[in-house]
Amino acid sequence: MKKHNFSAGPSILPRVAIENAAKAILDFDGIGLSLLEISHRSADFEAVNNEAEALFRELLQVPDNYKILFLGGGASTQFFQVPYNLLEKKAGYVNTGVWANKAIKEARLFGETDVVASSEDKNFNYIPKNYTIPTDLDYLHITTNNTIYGTEYKTDIDSPVTLVADMSSDILSRPVDVSKYGLIYGGAQKNIGPAGVTFVIVREDILGKVSRKLPSMVDYRNHIANQSMFNTPPVFAIYVVRETLRWLKSIGGVPAIQKLNEEKAALLYEEIDRNPLFEGTAVKEDRSLMNICFVMTEKYADLAPQFLEFAKSKGMVGIKGHRLVGGFRASTYNALPKESVQALVDCMREFEKMHVK
Ligand SMILES: *Cc1c(COP(=O)(O)O)cnc(C)c1O
């Protein structure tokens, strides 16, 4: 049976990227060696690294005064690497849920950390707005897509201080005005690759301003000076990122994927709003295009386990909601085809026919 992969991360990748990765593991570009056994400093791999970076820059329109890094450690390492490099006096954080909270916890190890806005009062079902950003912050940190709660910033905010964003789960899903940010980071495994590589886009002039000593691996400047090869980079993961970005370019780049993502999300949200069995959990204006969270309406709450079973029998994978929100979560990342969303909608309709008289 065809599987429809709605997993939150690691998540669905373009088929062509997986096929090419499988081939490269056996014989990389016909050189008679596996991608897994060649030097990261070989010309063959350097070409992969350079192309991945160039494609990222082209697709997201990253200005020349920003560097793009591919590092290890996941977004969770960035939670401390960012304040290590940038927090001298005071940082501001917007608390939009679990991931933002983890970032706040790490920042507190390095200096004064203010939560300038939070949506905790409503279990993070919205993006805080209309707050004032203090001008004495070293930086303001936001999480542009909240993977667990299904909320997302729809536009790039204006900040009077350096803006830092965790874009793990919506990178390259929509156009971003990179010039509004000082630093953007995320794990690749939601939208642009497999687990194991972390992207960092950083404007160089924000670095080198803290007085503390930085371990070499923590200092972004070392990674910049060595084109992400200060130590052995996650070679295989970077290869799959390149393949995924090649695919993204081939289908029309960010404008095309944004349109597709909007269509997919509209299809599912329309069904959630129409079907008497289901309701969305995030406020409408902040609904994520990447992680669509919904629950059974009160009247039909008992049917939740049955719906999960039914959906599973129809090939749906990964739609159980995070335990902090409950219900269901369909992650509709870039590589998820529209047919999979249609299959889930069909499944919800069929279940409705079975249970609503
Ligand atoms: C998944 C996720 C993370 C954690 O990423 P790791 O690479 O596992 O450290 C951080 N932030 C957001 C928004 C996420 O979705």
Side-chain angles (χ1 to χ4, degrees):
M1 187 197 356
K2 180 168 169 47
K3 293 285 167 84
H4 300 284
N5 187 359
F6 293 94
S7 300
S11 34
I12 188 165
L13 288 168
R15 189 70 206 167
V16 61
I18 291 174
E19 281 168 3
N20 289 345
K23 280 187 214 140
I25 283 183
L26 294 173
D27 184 0
F28 174 55
D29 282 355
I31 65 171
L33 294 168
S34 166
L35 166 65
L36 304 181
E37 58 184 2
I38 59 168
S39 167
H40 61 292
R41 301 201 186 278
S42 64
D44 295 307
F45 181 71
E46 238 171 70
V48 173
N49 198 55
N50 292 344
E51 188 185 338
E53 194 212 305
L55 281 167
F56 208 132
R57 190 177 291 282
E58 177 187 342
L59 289 163
L60 199 63
Q61 295 185 20
V62 178
D64 289 343
N65 56 332
Y66 288 74
K67 296 292 179 199
I68 300 173
L69 302 172
F70 296 120
L71 308 176
S76 300
T77 292
Q78 296 308 309
F79 293 165
F80 71 81
Q81 196 165 356
V82 163
Y84 222 140
N85 278 269
L86 303 181
L87 175 47
E88 180 74 7
K89 287 201 211 77
K90 188 160 60 157
Y93 279 71
V94 179
N95 184 6
T96 47
V98 166
W99 297 118
N101 242 310
K102 291 193 179 196
I104 291 165
K105 179 169 172 252
E106 301 301 291
R108 292 211 158 115
L109 299 171
F110 297 90
E112 193 181 340
T113 302
D114 285 359
V115 175
V116 302
S118 168
S119 49
E120 193 167 12
D121 58 332
K122 300 212 167 118
N123 195 31
F124 304 109
N125 75 353
Y126 68 101
I127 299 288
K129 291 169 206 83
N130 304 320
Y131 53 92
T132 310
I133 302 168
T135 53
D136 62 343
L137 301 173
D138 294 322
Y139 63 89
L140 177 76
H141 180 285
I142 62 171
T143 310
T144 53
N145 183 69
N146 296 281
T147 323
I148 291 173
Y149 310 88
T151 62
E152 186 176 15
Y153 288 75
K154 298 294 161 58
T155 51
D156 302 302
I157 64 168
D158 291 305
S159 169
V161 299
T162 298
L163 186 59
V164 175
D166 175 356
M167 293 197 187
S168 292
S169 51
D170 63 349
I171 188 71
L172 286 165
S173 68
R174 63 170 172 90
V176 165
D177 181 354
V178 175
S179 71
K180 289 193 166 180
Y181 300 82
L183 192 150
I184 294 169
Y185 69 85
Q189 71 273 20
K190 311 282 165 56
N191 239 345
I192 62 161
V197 62
T198 313
F199 60 87
V200 175
I201 304 166
V202 56
R203 210 180 63 225
E204 268 184 287
D205 64 83
I206 67 172
L207 302 174
K209 303 213 166 132
V210 290
S211 51
R212 73 177 62 84
K213 289 193 172 120
L214 302 174
S216 307
M217 273 294 283
V218 168
D219 192 334
Y220 291 118
R221 291 172 300 176
N222 288 329
H223 296 286
I224 291 171
N226 292 280
Q227 274 92 40
S228 302
M229 301 234 195
F230 177 71
N231 72 322
T232 315
V235 170
F236 176 70
I238 292 171
Y239 180 89
V240 184
V241 167
R242 184 196 67 172
E243 292 304 309
T244 305
L245 299 185
R246 275 187 175 177
W247 165 83
L248 182 55
K249 185 175 172 177
S250 77
I251 63 161
V254 172
I257 204 73
Q258 179 186 33
K259 185 167 169 283
L260 183 63
N261 288 333
E262 284 170 353
E263 286 169 13
K264 289 185 298 187
L267 189 60
L268 186 48
Y269 281 125
E270 271 163 29
E271 179 60 17
I272 290 166
D273 292 341
R274 183 208 62 78
N275 193 319
L277 291 176
F278 303 100
E279 64 187 352
T281 54
V283 304
K284 284 192 180 169
E285 63 178 1
D286 298 327
R287 281 174 162 180
S288 169
L289 301 190
M290 297 282 100
N291 310 97
I292 299 180
C293 296
F294 55 106
V295 293
M296 230 85 206
T297 47
E298 213 180 314
K299 185 171 171 199
Y300 298 101
D302 294 348
L303 290 175
Q306 246 173 285
F307 177 68
L308 267 184
E309 274 309 305
F310 181 70
K312 198 173 154 198
S313 77
K314 299 280 182 187
M316 307 301 141
V317 175
I319 63 159
K320 193 177 191 320
H322 191 281
R323 70 191 150 75
L324 294 173
V325 180
F328 317 101
R329 169 176 55 177
S331 297
T332 50
Y333 296 126
N334 284 358
L336 183 85
K338 198 170 168 184
E339 299 84 77
S340 288
V341 179
Q342 187 60 54
L344 176 57
V345 166
D346 292 346
C347 189
M348 292 161 77
R349 289 191 181 150
E350 211 179 319
F351 198 71
E352 178 196 9
K353 286 210 186 82
M354 290 158 60
H355 293 281
V356 183
K357 298 286 171 274

